[in-house]
Amino acid sequence: MSNHLAIAAVTATFQRVLQEAIQEEVYGARVTTTRPNQLESGSTETGINMYLYLITPNPAFRTPDPMTRRPKGELVKRSQVAMDLQYLLSFYGNEAELEAQRLYGAAVQMIQDGLTLTSDMIRDTLADSTMGFLAGADLADQVEPLRITPTEVSVENLSKLWSVFFQTPYVLSATYRGTVVLLDSDDSGERALPVRDRRTLISPFRQILIDRVVAQEGPIQPILPNSTLMITGRHLFAPIVLVRIAGIEITPESVSDNRIGLSLNAIPRDLLRAGMQGVQVVHPVQPYEVSSAYRGVESNLAAFVLRPRVTDIEVAEVEQHGHGTLAAAVTLHFELTVGAQQLVVLILNEWSAENRTSYLFKSLPRQRDSETVTIAITNVKAGEYLVRVQIDGAESLLTFDNDPQSPTFNWYIAPRLTIEPPDSDPEFEDDSEE
């Protein structure tokens, strides 16, 4: 790393190395660092003029550093700037003796594919008594090597360089790049206290991925409160595996690298909710490795739809309504707790091959979570109805008759309710499978 004198130190070292390479080729030739348009036209001395005409950021070291200061301004890390130096070398001499071309050849021979400015070259240059103005330079301590390499420039750009930048007649010239120069801030920053005890946690990181969550019976089968989930994915196995669901973490029944089996019966009934459920696989760290700041690796969040199941239906407060219709209060009992904020919709379909009247009723706002929900129905014809319920869009199932000898074979048969005028007893029939 280097201080602010690094750029000048590179130029001085490059000048000294060039001087040593050409002084035996052309007697009296000198390497200068003057701006080209300041050289006296027609009386320029024999030699090479090297001019730093452009400084550009180095692309290899241009990745932004982390924050160097804390929010209150305290320095955490010294900032660093990486630069490339662009040099124009112009060659002068007696054209009759081709001195300019001989000097060009000597420079090319020395640089060839790349010239490395070593620490010794830099120190020898800075030790020269004429370089007192660079006494504080620490370029020799830079870890990254400094190389001088030729660069390719088109005739058009070279002509612009002379005519626009310097506005002076063109002479034989070439361009070179010096890379890389690293400049550090002078601020010293802060150092943390020394580490008293090293406890390295080495844990090979593998991203846990859940591809899908389905019922054990098959990917197209509904997931019910007593279903067993099959969680499929990649990198699921670990010494300790937990499944995060319904706000808790539980240990699954079976685990392999691409499949996890989890019975929903292991989750308390009051925590599960019908509707969309989220699932994550968690690999916590081993207990002896645990740091409270590091909890382990978590998978992506996968979702599945948990279908509600109606266990009982009660019809009460049946009243005559206008135009021969009825109103009543239908109380639904569920296998799972229904949240107070969940939307419950009752769907009634008349159980008849001829009449197919259907109704939808939404529940009123509720004050607490409960396993029962009462919904008021109005303007309903007396009759027998199949019952379905949607909770946050997840719909309960109907049971169908699979007895080939039954007159209702392949019909939906349950759950059902009967709505009759007040002088009759409403009845509920539920042939659903347990």
Side-chain angles (χ1 to χ4, degrees), residues 172-192:
L172 179 63
S173 56
T175 56
Y176 289 87
R177 176 188 293 115
T179 184
V180 58
V181 180
L182 302 175
L183 265 64
D184 277 356
S185 168
D186 290 335
D187 293 334
S188 59
E190 299 177 359
R191 290 178 62 89

Side-chain angles (χ1 to χ4, degrees), residues 153-431:
V153 61
S154 66
V155 175
E156 180 181 2
N157 289 336
L158 193 59
S159 64
K160 289 180 179 179
L161 190 62
W162 283 91
S163 61
V164 177
F165 281 9
F166 311 128
Q167 298 180 359
T168 190
Y170 171 80
V171 298
L172 179 63
S173 56
T175 56
Y176 289 87
R177 176 188 293 115
T179 184
V180 58
V181 180
L182 302 175
L183 265 64
D184 277 356
S185 168
D186 290 335
D187 293 334
S188 59
E190 299 177 359
R191 290 178 62 89
L193 292 174
V195 178
R196 295 180 56 193
D197 188 12
R198 298 184 183 274
R199 298 180 183 179
T200 305
L201 173 62
I202 301 176
S203 178
F205 176 77
R206 297 196 307 168
Q207 177 64 49
I208 314 171
L209 293 174
I210 298 179
D211 293 330
R212 62 193 310 197
V213 180
V214 298
Q216 186 179 39
E217 293 75 16
I220 64 173
Q221 298 301 313
I223 298 177
L224 301 173
N226 62 346
S227 295
T228 295
L229 299 181
M230 298 308 298
I231 304 170
T232 59
R234 285 161 283 173
H235 311 312
L236 303 179
F237 180 80
I240 301 177
V241 178
L242 299 175
V243 176
R244 184 177 296 154
I245 182 173
I248 62 173
E249 295 179 353
I250 60 176
T251 303
E253 287 77 13
S254 61
V255 179
S256 67
D257 201 51
N258 57 7
R259 186 182 295 266
I260 290 177
L262 173 67
S263 173
L264 293 181
N265 288 323
I267 304 173
R269 299 288 92 178
D270 60 335
L271 296 182
L272 272 180
R273 297 288 186 271
M276 193 68 70
Q277 289 279 348
V279 176
Q280 275 186 296
V281 176
V282 181
H283 291 173
V285 294
Q286 300 290 344
Y288 54 82
E289 298 173 335
V290 168
S291 161
S292 60
Y294 180 67
R295 301 189 58 187
V297 183
E298 300 176 352
S299 74
N300 57 305
L301 181 65
F304 69 93
V305 176
L306 179 60
R307 300 283 196 100
R309 185 153 58 186
V310 179
T311 58
D312 195 11
I313 302 175
E314 299 174 3
V315 179
E317 303 176 12
V318 180
E319 298 177 356
Q320 289 282 358
H321 215 270
H323 306 291
T325 59
L326 303 173
V330 178
T331 301
L332 304 164
H333 297 259
F334 296 97
E335 187 172 358
L336 299 177
T337 301
V338 180
Q341 303 302 318
Q342 289 189 288
L343 175 63
V344 182
V345 178
L346 172 63
I347 306 172
L348 300 179
N349 292 91
E350 193 167 5
W351 193 60
S352 170
E354 299 176 357
N355 300 318
R356 298 187 178 180
T357 305
S358 62
Y359 304 94
L360 276 79
F361 301 98
K362 292 183 180 180
S363 66
L364 295 175
R366 303 177 300 282
Q367 299 300 318
R368 60 185 179 87
D369 300 346
S370 175
E371 294 180 355
T372 62
V373 175
T374 299
I375 299 178
I377 63 175
T378 58
N379 295 319
V380 178
K381 295 192 304 181
E384 196 169 14
Y385 293 89
L386 290 168
V387 177
R388 287 175 293 160
V389 180
Q390 287 184 350
I391 300 180
D392 284 350
E395 189 171 293
S396 63
L397 301 178
L398 294 172
T399 302
F400 65 91
D401 188 352
N402 56 7
D403 182 5
Q405 307 302 320
S406 172
T408 58
F409 177 58
N410 268 343
W411 285 26
Y412 288 117
I413 57 173
R416 300 200 309 266
L417 65 79
T418 300
I419 300 177
E420 296 180 344
D423 55 352
S424 303
D425 292 327
E427 63 182 54
F428 165 68
E429 181 179 354
D430 184 1
D431 299 325

Side-chain angles (χ1 to χ4, degrees), residues 17-31:
V17 173
L18 270 179
Q19 182 64 54
E20 292 176 352
I22 67 169
Q23 61 187 8
E24 295 182 2
E25 178 61 34
V26 177
Y27 178 77
R30 294 180 61 243
V31 179

